[in-house]
Structures are given as C-alpha cells and as structure tokens.
Amino acid sequence: MAEGDGDKTLRKIAEAFKDLANVVTDSHNAEVNVQVAPFSRACSLVSPLFSCLGVAFKFAEMDYVAKVHDLAEASNSIQTLQSMIDLDVQAVSVRNGGSHTRNLLRVKRGLDMVRVLFEQILVSEGDSLRDPASKAYEQVLAPYHGWAIRKAVSVGMYVLPTKEQFLKKLNEDEASAKVHMQTYVTASTPLIQYIDKLFLSRDLGIDW
Ligand code: 1PZ
C-alpha cells in the first residue's frame, strides 16, 4: 500500500491499538499478557503514515519496518512480549544490535513519536505539520539520535506536506481524522506505559 489508498489507514490504526489497550487495561485480568502477533500487526499498520509524510522520511520508514518485521518473525515462535524479553534476558542479548527486545524498545519509541505527533496535531491551529512533527521528534527520538540523524530529520521537516495534504492522502476530513487520532492517543498511552514497565521491572532501562 503506497499511500492512504482509500484504505482507512487512520481508522485501522485506531481500532488495532484500541484492542491492544483493552488487553492492557482489562482489570479482570490478574496477569496482563500482550501477544507479539497482534502487537506487531498493529505496529505494521502505522507504516503507511510515512509515505503520507513524503519521501524525506523514507529512511525512518525502512528502519521502523525492518524492526516491526523482526517482531512479526518472533511471533512465529514466541507468544507474549513478556516472554520475548525474558528469552533475551536469559541469553544476555537484550542490548545486542537487532535483538527482539532492542527492536521492541525502538518500535515503542516509534509509537510514542506518533502519539505525540497526533497530540500536537490535535492542538495545533495552523496548516503546518512542522511544529507538531518537530515537537514530537525533539521529545521522543532526538535524545537517542546522533548529530547526523538529527540533522537529516531537521532538513526533512522543511519538506513535510501541509496538514491538509496529509489528511487528503489519508482520505480523511478534519473531523474524522481528529476522532481517529484521539482514539490512538488514548489507546497507545497505557500500551506504551505497559511496555516501559516490562523493561523497568526487569531493570533493563528504557534510555538506551
Ligand atoms: C512527522 C515527522 C515524522 C518524523 C519522523 C522522525 C524520523 C525519525 C528518524 C529515524 C531515523 C532512522 C534511522 C535509524 C535510527 C537508528 O539509529 C535507531 C536505533 O536503532 P538500532 O541501533 O537499534 O538498530 N532507530 C530508531 O531510533 C528507531 C526509529 C523509529 C522511527 C519511527 C518514527 C515513527 C514516526 C512515524 C511518523 C509517521
């Protein structure tokens, strides 16, 4: 799928993450277990957003897609995010390049980036995406990126489409987009917190 393609990209993202949030916030569950398969599927629904933001973020898309793909592969043999992390802990491979756990941390940051981006779009007045995108990047990803990547991203910020062009590619009007973005913001928050807790409760840290 190249762009929005009449496919309800935003609605699909919103619904998939709402389902995951329901798992995380279900108080009837004594033990919460997010399955790797639906998690990676939901994460892959985010990928079409990159092409709607223009060619400048192609390199971000490639990195994100590869990591989500790794999680999808992992789901063939590993059931839950929790057991995926525990296997890496046992193998002492948590921080190794390309480990499932490391990729999960990167993908989680991608989800957080989208969350803050949507949050900022929802409160922004004008038609520019530059402020929302810059704020989200500064807050979520920039602290972990070296000079060269930060520089490339800041150049990319100047060739972002306008909000109107972005929504058009997604086949949304302002009102429907707002609803789906808000749903994603609300749903992704507890999910991201859940993933952070998986790391922090094992003393793995989330700032690397
Ligand atoms: C609206 C504006 C969108 C801004 C997009 C922000 C661009 C982020 C730039 C990502 C650079 C990708 C280059 C590679 C980064 C890697 O160094 C790290 C570490 O990976 P590792 O060493 O473990 O292999 N990868 C990342 O930080 C993951 C980045 C995920 C980017 C997801 C962004 C999601 C934004 C979606 C917006 C629709």
Side-chain angles (χ1 to χ4, degrees), residues 46-51 53 57 59-61 63-64 67 95-99 102-103 105-107 109-111 113-114 117-118 121 129 132-134 136-137 141 144-146 149 153 156-157 160 166 208:
V46 172
S47 313
L49 289 185
F50 289 93
S51 20
L53 289 168
F57 292 104
F59 65 112
E61 178 181 9
D63 191 70
Y64 177 83
K67 288 169 166 64
R95 294 199 184 202
N96 290 2
S99 85
R102 178 171 168 141
N103 287 337
L105 182 62
R106 306 309 190 232
V107 167
R109 245 170 234 157
L111 298 180
M113 164 87 203
V114 176
L117 174 67
F118 284 180
I121 290 177
L129 285 182
S134 306
Y137 181 72
L141 290 170
Y144 305 98
H145 287 162
I149 291 181
V153 171
M157 293 295 177
L160 285 173
F166 179 57
W208 49 277

Side-chain angles (χ1 to χ4, degrees), residues 25 35 47 81 96 142 167 171 178 193 196:
T25 57
Q35 310 285 309
S47 313
L81 293 182
N96 290 2
L167 296 185
N171 282 301
K178 273 193 172 159
Q193 281 168 358
D196 283 344

Side-chain angles (χ1 to χ4, degrees), residues 59-153:
F59 65 112
E61 178 181 9
M62 283 163 60
D63 191 70
Y64 177 83
V65 167
K67 288 169 166 64
V68 171
H69 185 251
D70 174 69
L71 298 182
E73 295 260 280
S75 75
N76 291 327
S77 56
I78 307 169
Q79 278 260 304
T80 65
L81 293 182
Q82 186 165 336
S83 53
M84 191 179 82
I85 293 175
D86 286 336
L87 284 169
D88 278 331
V89 170
Q90 281 157 29
V92 203
S93 58
V94 168
R95 294 199 184 202
N96 290 2
S99 85
H100 298 319
T101 302
R102 178 171 168 141
N103 287 337
L104 173 63
L105 182 62
R106 306 309 190 232
V107 167
K108 186 265 315 186
R109 245 170 234 157
L111 298 180
D112 206 20
M113 164 87 203
V114 176
R115 183 185 66 80
V116 180
L117 174 67
F118 284 180
E119 222 168 48
Q120 292 297 325
I121 290 177
L122 286 168
V123 297
S124 77
E125 306 260 304
D127 192 36
S128 173
L129 285 182
R130 200 187 306 161
D131 273 0
S134 306
K135 277 188 188 150
Y137 181 72
E138 286 310 317
Q139 184 179 325
V140 179
L141 290 170
Y144 305 98
H145 287 162
W147 179 86
I149 291 181
R150 291 206 310 269
K151 186 79 202 159
V153 171

